[in-house]
Amino acid sequence: MTTATAAPRPNSPRPDKPETTEPRQNPPTFLSDPYPTLARMRQSAPVSVLHSDGGLRLWIIPRYADVRAALVDRRFAQDVRRAQALADSRVEGVNLGAEITHMLSSDPPDHTRLRRVVQAAFSRKRVEAMRPMVERITLELLDGLDAAAARHTTRTTTATVDLVRDFAFPLPILVVCELLGFPPEDRDLYRKWSTAIVTQEGGHAAFRRAVQEMGSYVLAIADRRIRRDDRPADLLTELLAARERGELTDDEIVGMVALLLIGGHETTVNLLGTSCLALLRDPGQAAWLRADPTRMPRAVEEFLRYDSPICMATTRFTTEPVDVGGVEIPQDEFVLLSLGAANRDPARFQDPDRLILDRPDAGHLAFGGGIHRCLGALLGKLETEIALTALLARFPGTTLACQESDLRWRNTMMLRGLEALPLTLRR
């Protein structure tokens, strides 16, 4: 992240070049708590400007009404190949992920075709049918935490676990593995690739290596699957059938699987971690939730609003000049929609910086909107409801096993998630 500068006021002349600042890495204070910075952006102007570490100018939209409108505005395009060409014409070394082709980085008609292939797999009926599978995986993981606690607890010590490593990560990735028919024992590989692709901490070389490794891995599994006479009824088999019908290419299958492996667990991992932390901070809200587990679906909506697992939606660019709250964003400019800022906007939510689990109106934008609204939203909410309900019931006396100031957050302004969450388990 770089220093934010307010965009021109609606009634002031727009300078030919927005004020620039020297790029710097995401500051720890922003990673641990981005909301004061996002609030300043939201209060100062309808649009603010950041400059990426590579020097690319980014226009940030932080207000709820403007973000909601932009999510359905086709003038904000997401075709990653066009975006990469535009970025390359301005600065060197900016990687927008054009090596991966999937529906989140495509516009119609490609987006429409790609989404149609998989949307039935995430219908309400199909997701609800996954409930027994999610419950089974959840209980197996909790049994593992129980066993670890029993092994390491003595009269003078109690067991400490990392909720992210031992529960929040394996749960959604194991669900995705069953959905795709992928080997669950390779889940650490999936996490490694996901981290390299999402955070780009290792630079473009590490990103490209992860994409290549994942692509080779997916196509090898697809090749073995296509040779089988008894193909299992999973999503990979459906993707291969679509390829046989001429609806998908090999690159698109790889991109679809990458999106499911990464997007299918990143959001839920982040949400489980931040939700647990929020409950540890607010015992009263935790007690309200434990008193009646049927309240969990409403609580999950508030967790999504309060600490959105996606802080900034994927990069868009303008296909023509667009007016946002009286500020004109020119054509061919890169735009970030701040879901995290929008979900804390006091113009939309009363007392937005408080966790209120019985908030009467959800209305959050945590899953985006429009044609790019998260396809796995129903599954992510189901996983979170089941996981948090079971965790609270099994270990109601759990406490944080470190100082909150010592917690480490993902090094990306796009995602909002913990690297680890050390907990002391207590029944």
Side-chain angles (χ1 to χ4, degrees), residues 86-102:
L86 184 60
D88 290 343
S89 71
R90 297 184 177 176
V91 297
E92 294 183 1
V94 171
N95 176 26
L96 299 179
E99 290 94 337
I100 308 177
T101 302
H102 53 71

Side-chain angles (χ1 to χ4, degrees), residues 50-367:
L50 294 178
H51 288 80
S52 74
D53 295 327
L56 191 65
R57 184 170 57 202
L58 304 168
W59 297 69
I60 313 298
I61 300 178
R63 295 177 181 174
Y64 181 94
D66 296 330
V67 171
R68 185 175 182 180
L71 285 167
V72 298
D73 191 332
R74 296 290 185 88
R75 294 174 296 175
F76 295 100
Q78 288 193 235
D79 186 328
V80 72
R81 290 191 176 91
R82 290 173 61 196
Q84 187 66 62
L86 184 60
D88 290 343
S89 71
R90 297 184 177 176
V91 297
E92 294 183 1
V94 171
N95 176 26
L96 299 179
E99 290 94 337
I100 308 177
T101 302
H102 53 71
M103 56 191 172
L104 193 59
S105 61
S106 305
D107 291 323
D110 285 339
H111 171 272
T112 308
R113 172 177 56 84
L114 294 171
R115 192 174 178 105
R116 185 185 300 121
V117 170
V118 294
Q119 64 185 2
F122 297 93
S123 68
R124 188 173 297 276
K125 182 178 179 180
R126 291 274 291 268
V127 168
E128 186 57 35
M130 298 181 203
R131 182 179 292 273
M133 180 255 288
V134 177
E135 291 174 339
R136 170 178 56 79
I137 293 173
T138 298
L139 293 178
E140 288 172 354
L141 291 171
L142 289 178
D143 287 344
L145 293 181
D146 240 343
R151 285 194 304 270
H152 296 101
T153 300
T154 68
R155 292 182 180 179
T156 58
T157 63
T158 52
T160 297
V161 300
D162 176 359
L163 189 81
V164 173
R165 180 195 63 205
D166 300 329
F167 185 70
F169 163 65
L171 171 59
I173 202 67
L174 289 172
V175 171
V176 172
C177 285
E178 292 216 16
L179 184 64
L180 284 168
F182 272 37
E185 60 270 20
D186 289 342
R187 60 181 183 263
D188 288 338
L189 264 181
Y190 311 147
R191 183 66 163 174
K192 183 188 78 169
W193 292 331
S194 177
T195 298
I197 291 170
V198 169
T199 69
Q200 297 192 28
E201 286 182 325
H204 197 180
F207 173 93
R208 181 168 292 176
R209 183 165 57 251
V211 171
Q212 291 172 344
E213 289 178 0
M214 181 180 286
S216 298
Y217 178 92
V218 170
L219 292 178
I221 291 180
D223 185 61
R224 291 195 297 271
R225 178 69 59 84
I226 206 73
R227 296 170 187 272
R228 291 177 56 174
D229 294 328
D230 57 335
R231 299 183 196 175
D234 54 38
L235 189 51
L236 178 60
T237 295
E238 293 181 28
L239 295 178
L240 293 174
R243 184 179 67 178
E244 291 171 358
R245 296 192 300 268
E247 297 174 6
L248 290 178
T249 66
D250 280 354
D251 285 346
E252 289 169 342
I253 287 179
V254 170
M256 190 75 75
V257 171
L259 180 61
L260 294 171
L261 281 175
I262 297 171
H265 84 269
E266 283 284 359
T267 301
T268 306
V269 172
N270 295 344
L271 181 59
L272 285 172
T274 55
S275 300
C276 287
L277 180 59
L279 291 174
L280 291 169
R281 288 170 174 161
D282 196 331
Q285 291 285 279
W288 177 86
L289 193 51
R290 280 195 301 270
D292 184 357
T294 65
R295 295 166 171 168
M296 186 60 77
R298 176 186 287 188
V300 170
E301 300 293 347
E302 174 67 352
F303 289 133
L304 284 160
R305 183 206 68 82
Y306 178 73
D307 221 353
S308 303
I310 306 296
C311 187
M312 298 281 183
T314 48
T315 307
R316 291 158 164 79
F317 63 94
T318 52
T319 58
E320 60 182 83
V322 180
D323 182 279
V324 177
V327 176
E328 181 182 282
I329 303 177
Q331 181 177 337
D332 293 336
E333 290 291 325
F334 290 98
V335 177
L336 292 177
L337 310 181
S338 180
L339 306 182
N343 285 336
R344 295 280 190 108
D345 190 342
R348 174 60 180 80
F349 300 102
Q350 185 175 4
D351 207 357
D353 293 321
R354 277 188 60 212
L355 180 73
I356 305 174
L357 295 183
D358 62 344
R359 191 178 289 275
D361 175 25
H364 62 75
L365 302 176
F367 290 116

